[in-house]
Amino acid sequence: MRPAHTRIPADIGCALDYERHAAHHIEAMAWRHIQGGADQNLTLAHNRAALDALRLLPRPLASLRSGHTRLTLLGQAFEHPLLLAPVAYQGLAHPEGEIASVRAAMALRAGYIASTLSSHTLEDIAAAAQAAARELGYGAPLWFQLYSQPAREHTLALLRRAEAAGYQAIVWTVDASIKRSGFALPPSVEAANLRGYPAMQHTPQAIGGAVLLGTPLADAAPALEDLEWLRAQTRLPLIVKGVLSPRVAAEAVARGADALVVSNHGGRVMDGVPAPIEVLPAIRAAVPAAPLLLDSGIRWGTDAAKALALGASAVLIGRPQLHALAVAGVQGVAHLLLTLRSELELALAQLGCARLEQLTPEAVWDESSKK
Ligand code: FNR
């Protein structure tokens, strides 16, 4: 396993180049954990296939004057619609972990979502973001991803800590409280935010006994009443992450979600589910007024353009941030974000869009409209 480069290797020009290099910079067990999906990796592969299957329709001759990529989301100003997804245990990719990735995000004006399962504390991550923003003279929104804890008092403690540290929104992840994982963290990496909090134990029962249903793990899975409870606990915007069903989207918004992340968790939780890009139009129709973010498989600026065209306000970048972090630390993540932003702007220009709101479903070629 090689340490991170201090300079970005000359042959890196896109997110997939970081992935290729990263295999040599991450320990083998951690690499399998990061890269893997559920079961046969059908969902993992399908996330890419579904994005690849869409065609964008260039629109030359449109004026690109006075263009920009700015947007306002939940009352917060973003310079562009690329955010770093909450990704656990970034210490697996680089000793500086989340401290490096949040500094890169601020430098590139990318929104950052710190995971509950960060290898640095949420307070240290926020302090690094705030110090970077002071140094730079600008920054970007900082959000906290919340995993419900076995006891509500610990969920509430995380929420209050996030509010006190200056996080500007809560991203409540609801699709991964029950998932298989055989990965054991190395001793150098821990869930820094959860020190002193009891972990959910799921010990195998006797053969013939309860497997999952009827165990404390299943009983504690987040439910709609937990959404109402959480909504009542904070004034911060509340974003529900991990929605694929239009019906669930409508229920979540009706119970107080301010926005949704359409996501299948990068194919890590359940095999054989639709790609977020496929369900996006139906979710857009089900919750016409709610801001939607999307992740799972975004690797190119054109992927982001497809998601924005079909109704997302912004996209989240998952695994590629770990790849870039492992290859070249803070510089790698900054370069990754610059690369994706450049690709997105190139796509916007080709699509005749000087601003994000000009990107509509018309930018995606509809096979059925072929004459
Ligand atoms: C994740 N993801 C995730 N999501 C979340 O809400 N909290 C978390 O702690 C984590 N941790 C995590 C670890 C690793 C190793 C991966 C790969 C992913 C999911 C993440 O936020 C996002 O939904 C997916 O990564 C998006 O898919 P891509 O971009 O990785 O294809």
Side-chain angles (χ1 to χ4, degrees):
M1 197 190 101
R2 302 178 199 156
H5 296 286
T6 49
R7 281 172 177 224
I8 293 158
D11 62 342
I12 291 187
C14 66
L16 297 186
D17 291 336
Y18 274 110
E19 181 170 16
R20 184 167 45 81
H21 274 260
H24 306 290
H25 294 267
I26 298 180
E27 192 270 323
M29 295 285 280
W31 179 248
R32 274 199 293 279
H33 165 72
I34 291 165
Q35 295 298 97
D39 298 353
Q40 304 183 68
N41 292 335
L42 295 174
T43 304
L44 184 69
H46 188 60
N47 285 341
R48 280 300 320 151
L51 282 161
D52 285 344
L54 295 174
R55 307 273 175 267
L56 290 164
L57 200 59
R59 193 160 70 93
L61 301 177
S63 168
L64 296 174
R65 266 174 235 125
S66 312
H68 65 78
T69 57
R70 291 191 291 276
L71 68 151
T72 303
L73 197 53
L74 301 166
Q76 300 174 21
F78 289 78
E79 194 64 24
H80 57 79
L82 305 168
L83 284 76
L84 291 186
V87 169
Y89 306 123
Q90 298 191 12
L92 293 172
H94 191 282
E96 289 167 18
E98 296 82 5
I99 303 297
S101 57
V102 82
R103 288 174 56 210
M106 293 304 119
L108 272 289
R109 297 176 184 246
Y112 185 88
I113 311 175
S115 166
T116 287
L117 301 177
S118 294
S119 44
H120 291 267
T121 63
L122 65 93
E123 289 83 2
D124 286 350
I125 297 168
Q130 288 147 9
R134 272 196 303 278
E135 213 174 293
L136 293 159
Y138 60 79
L142 185 63
W143 294 354
F144 180 69
Q145 179 268 322
L146 181 67
Y147 272 131
S148 287
Q149 299 302 300
R152 269 191 177 170
E153 62 183 287
H154 295 119
T155 307
L156 196 56
L158 282 171
L159 177 63
R160 294 286 172 259
R161 286 172 58 192
E163 289 172 340
Y167 287 85
Q168 292 151 272
I170 299 298
V171 178
W172 188 46
T173 301
V174 297
D175 63 352
S177 61
I178 294 174
K179 77 193 254 290
R180 270 178 158 174
S181 174
F183 177 65
L185 283 176
S188 57
V189 179
E190 62 163 334
N193 288 322
L194 304 182
R195 279 177 206 141
Y197 295 10
M200 175 59 77
Q201 297 297 338
H202 185 61
T203 37
Q205 311 286 307
I207 293 174
V211 173
L212 171 64
L213 299 176
T215 67
L217 182 66
D219 291 351
L224 276 177
E225 66 254 29
D226 298 303
L227 171 55
E228 281 177 344
W229 172 80
L230 192 57
R231 173 68 291 171
Q233 303 303 320
T234 184
R235 297 166 71 120
L236 290 178
L238 182 58
I239 302 144
V240 173
K241 175 172 182 279
V243 176
L244 290 171
S245 141
R247 197 176 93 185
V248 172
E251 283 169 349
V253 169
R255 307 280 184 119
D258 296 304
L260 305 173
V261 184
V262 183
S263 169
N264 62 27
H265 215 96
R268 296 170 74 75
V269 178
M270 188 176 185
D271 219 9
V273 308
I277 194 75
E278 292 174 307
V279 297
L280 180 62
I283 293 188
R284 181 71 291 160
V287 287
L292 300 177
L293 296 94
L294 177 141
D295 74 19
S296 301
I298 302 289
R299 299 292 180 271
W300 297 94
T302 46
D303 297 333
K306 289 168 182 176
L308 299 174
L310 294 178
S313 299
V315 296
L316 315 186
I317 311 299
R319 292 179 184 84
Q321 64 177 297
L322 289 183
H323 301 152
L325 192 57
V327 172
V330 62
Q331 297 177 72
V333 181
H335 177 242
L336 169 77
L337 284 166
L338 178 63
T339 304
L340 288 168
R341 180 172 174 183
S342 306
E343 291 169 359
L344 174 60
E345 293 207 26
L346 187 60
L348 286 167
Q350 291 292 334
L351 295 168
C353 300
R355 291 183 302 281
L356 297 175
E357 58 268 24
Q358 293 169 347
L359 197 47
T360 66
E362 258 184 69
V364 177
W365 172 243
D366 180 356
E367 285 288 316
S368 64
S369 68
K370 253 194 286 185
K371 295 271 155 37

